[in-house]
């Protein structure tokens, strides 16, 4: 998570994204759709990661305007651009997601090589520990067991936290509901990512609400699965929004 404001002077200057579409045309509706969903605040999008492979470009972007939008809205934007060099046209997909690792997962599932979309380590607070790094790797690189149901991003400088509730696509999965919580220590300028397991959606959402109110108990552990299965894609197919904290 980045601060929505300018970084301190001793941090890396904020880079700007360039979609490199100046010589490309698309129909009017496509241009308008791209402008409305992606490029309207292009100068406020920070490229946390990007990869270009021929006709394809993949971006993990931090949207600095999101802090002034709907309370709690995700601040990370994943964008996949596909150019047709013969016709000089382009198409695109985009998704707004709460965590950079989830944006990486979304792009990997659209053809981006896993090892090509690493986050710029000089942008945003680094992981505080190996547990955070391990969970980020799993969220970014794994399969299709979970879908996102609810998230809330709080960028209060006194308590910068993101909560994400996930549900298992396999109803037989242990801990069928998961909560991932990302917390920033603004004094140490590091972030910690942790995961907990719940039996019901109500319990998962209640924990999210309690954490946002500063009243949460420790996250319950995820129950181990009996047999190893394919890992989870937390971002490919978001589920309908679950009831939760009012924005």
């Amino acid at each position: 998570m980045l601060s929505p404001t300018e970084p301190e002077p001793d941090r890396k200057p904020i880079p700007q994204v360039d979609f490199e579409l100046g010589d490309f045309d698309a129909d009017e509706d496509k241009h308008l759709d791209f402008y409305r969903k992606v490029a309207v605040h292009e100068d406020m999008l920070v490229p946390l990661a990007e990869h270009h492979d021929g006709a394809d470009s993949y971006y993990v972007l931090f949207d600095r305007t999101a802090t002034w939008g709907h309370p709690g809205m995700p601040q990370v934007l994943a964008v996949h651009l596909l150019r047709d060099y013969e016709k000089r046209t382009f198409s695109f997909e985009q998704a707004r997601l709460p965590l950079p690792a989830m944006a990486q997962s979304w792009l990997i599932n659209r053809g981006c090589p896993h090892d090509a979309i690493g986050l710029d380590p000089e942008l945003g607070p680094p992981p505080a520990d190996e547990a955070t790094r391990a969970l980020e790797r799993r969220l970014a690189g794994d399969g299709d067991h979970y879908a996102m149901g609810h998230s809330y991003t709080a960028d209060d400088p006194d308590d910068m936290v993101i909560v994400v509730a996930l549900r298992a696509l396999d109803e037989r999965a242990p801990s069928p509901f998961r909560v991932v919580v990302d917390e920033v220590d603004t004094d140490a300028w590091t972030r910690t990512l942790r995961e907990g397991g719940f039996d019901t959606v109500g319990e998962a959402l209640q924990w999210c609400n309690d954490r946002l109110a500063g009243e949460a108990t420790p996250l319950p552990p995820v129950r181990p699965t009996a047999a190893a299965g394919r890992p989870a894609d937390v971002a490919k197919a978001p589920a309908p929004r679950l009831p939760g904290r009012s924005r």
Side-chain angles (χ1 to χ4, degrees), residues 27-75:
D27 62 70
E28 184 176 351
D29 289 341
K30 179 70 68 177
H31 268 299
L32 185 58
D33 195 34
F34 183 73
Y35 177 78
R36 286 175 172 171
K37 293 180 178 178
V38 178
V40 60
H41 299 299
E42 184 172 338
D43 61 338
M44 295 292 283
L45 298 176
V46 180
L48 304 180
E50 58 183 289
H51 174 66
H52 308 280
D53 183 9
D56 293 272
S57 289
Y58 306 89
Y59 303 87
V60 177
L61 305 169
F62 176 73
D63 181 2
R64 290 189 289 162
T65 70
T67 188
W68 300 296
H70 200 285
M73 70 181 294
Q75 297 182 350

Side-chain angles (χ1 to χ4, degrees), residues 4-236:
T5 58
E6 295 289 330
E8 294 177 4
D10 60 341
R11 295 193 187 131
K12 180 178 180 177
I14 295 178
Q16 291 188 334
V17 65
D18 183 356
F19 294 115
E20 301 180 357
L21 293 175
D23 296 330
F24 287 83
D25 294 317
D27 62 70
E28 184 176 351
D29 289 341
K30 179 70 68 177
H31 268 299
L32 185 58
D33 195 34
F34 183 73
Y35 177 78
R36 286 175 172 171
K37 293 180 178 178
V38 178
V40 60
H41 299 299
E42 184 172 338
D43 61 338
M44 295 292 283
L45 298 176
V46 180
L48 304 180
E50 58 183 289
H51 174 66
H52 308 280
D53 183 9
D56 293 272
S57 289
Y58 306 89
Y59 303 87
V60 177
L61 305 169
F62 176 73
D63 181 2
R64 290 189 289 162
T65 70
T67 188
W68 300 296
H70 200 285
M73 70 181 294
Q75 297 182 350
V76 179
L77 191 64
V79 178
H80 174 210
L81 279 178
L82 179 60
R83 301 172 184 85
D84 186 322
Y85 285 101
E86 291 186 2
K87 297 179 180 178
R88 309 305 295 177
T89 60
F90 73 92
S91 59
F92 77 99
E93 295 179 275
Q94 61 83 35
R96 189 170 286 276
L97 297 159
L99 296 172
M102 297 173 72
Q104 290 171 302
S105 174
W106 187 90
L107 294 170
I108 290 166
N109 276 280
R110 282 153 181 80
C112 184
H114 179 278
D115 59 357
I117 198 68
L119 301 176
D120 187 330
E122 296 186 53
L123 292 174
D129 51 28
E130 180 55 35
T132 296
R133 287 186 285 269
L135 182 52
E136 285 181 329
R137 288 193 296 267
R138 181 160 61 82
L139 292 179
D142 291 348
D144 59 358
H145 283 175
Y146 286 82
M148 188 177 74
H150 168 79
S151 75
Y152 194 97
T153 297
D155 54 17
D156 181 345
D158 294 326
D159 187 21
M160 297 179 68
V161 60
I162 301 169
V163 292
V164 184
L166 311 173
R167 67 171 177 82
L169 300 181
D170 181 357
E171 295 180 355
R172 300 167 297 177
S175 299
F177 297 93
R178 304 283 178 93
V179 168
V180 177
V181 58
D182 181 293
E183 299 173 315
V184 174
D185 182 333
T186 54
D187 292 329
W189 195 240
T190 59
R191 70 179 185 278
T192 302
L193 193 66
R194 293 293 186 265
E195 178 185 42
F198 297 85
D199 290 328
T200 69
V201 63
E203 291 172 331
L205 292 175
Q206 186 61 55
W207 193 95
C208 290
N209 290 340
D210 290 345
R211 173 58 189 85
L212 293 169
E215 302 170 351
T217 57
L219 275 169
V222 174
R223 283 189 283 132
T225 183
R230 287 194 309 152
D233 168 20
V234 299
K236 183 177 180 181

